């Protein structure tokens, strides 16, 4: 499935696990990823872009802001990196939107929930369905 490419990159997310602020382990290199692992900023940009676009595109899906903030804290984004992070977020959001268009909303949303939903394979609980999230 084409959507697995999107999540192949995100699978290298060093911030995986329980979306905790503990020091992340070195990310594994996905088969289609470059030889060098992605930076924590790249990983956070991928997770943030995917989850924010999922909230916009997927019916009934909401981002749990606290969980996303935990991922940002784990990435150790400092004030001097804000401009770089903004560019990474723009670039990654464009790639995510292209993947969404290529895969179709239903398939893409299912993969986003599988990666970031309550049972998330990348970061659990960043996306929620059902009751409104506060």
């Amino acid at each position: 499935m084409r959507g697995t490419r999107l999540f192949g990159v995100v699978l290298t997310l060093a911030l995986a696990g329980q979306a905790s602020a503990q020091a992340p382990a070195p990310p594994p290199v996905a088969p289609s990823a470059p030889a060098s692992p992605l930076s924590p900023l790249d990983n956070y940009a991928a997770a943030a872009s995917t989850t924010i676009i999922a909230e916009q595109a997927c019916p009934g899906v909401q981002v749990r802001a606290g969980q996303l903030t935990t991922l940002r804290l784990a990435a150790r984004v400092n004030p001097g990196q804000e401009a770089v992070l903004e560019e990474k977020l723009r670039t990654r959001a464009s790639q995510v939107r292209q993947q969404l268009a290529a895969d179709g909303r239903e398939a893409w949303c299912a993969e986003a929930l599988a990666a970031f939903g309550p049972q998330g394979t990348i970061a659990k609980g960043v996306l929620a369905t059902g009751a409104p999230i506060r």
Side-chain angles (χ1 to χ4, degrees):
M1 182 182 291
R2 298 173 105 186
T4 56
R5 280 185 291 139
L6 164 70
F7 295 107
V9 172
V10 178
L11 282 174
T12 63
L13 188 63
L15 311 171
Q18 300 295 322
S20 68
Q22 297 174 356
V29 177
S32 61
S36 62
L38 296 175
S39 74
L41 288 181
D42 289 318
N43 291 330
Y44 174 72
S49 297
T50 300
T51 57
I52 290 167
I53 291 171
E55 183 176 58
Q56 297 167 355
C58 306
V61 172
Q62 293 179 315
V63 173
R64 294 183 62 209
Q67 294 296 93
L68 192 55
T69 299
T70 299
L71 293 179
R72 182 182 170 99
L73 291 171
R76 295 185 172 101
V77 178
N78 66 54
Q81 296 172 308
E82 289 297 329
V84 172
L85 179 58
E86 285 179 30
E87 182 57 35
K88 288 181 181 295
L89 284 166
R90 276 192 291 275
T91 300
R92 190 68 187 133
S94 176
Q95 293 168 345
V96 170
R97 284 186 191 99
Q98 289 173 358
Q99 194 66 52
L100 170 61
D103 292 349
R105 186 173 75 174
E106 188 174 325
W108 187 89
C109 289
E111 288 201 30
L113 279 172
F116 294 101
Q119 303 301 317
T121 58
I122 296 174
K124 291 182 181 181
V126 180
L127 293 176
T129 59
I133 303 299
R134 293 178 188 235

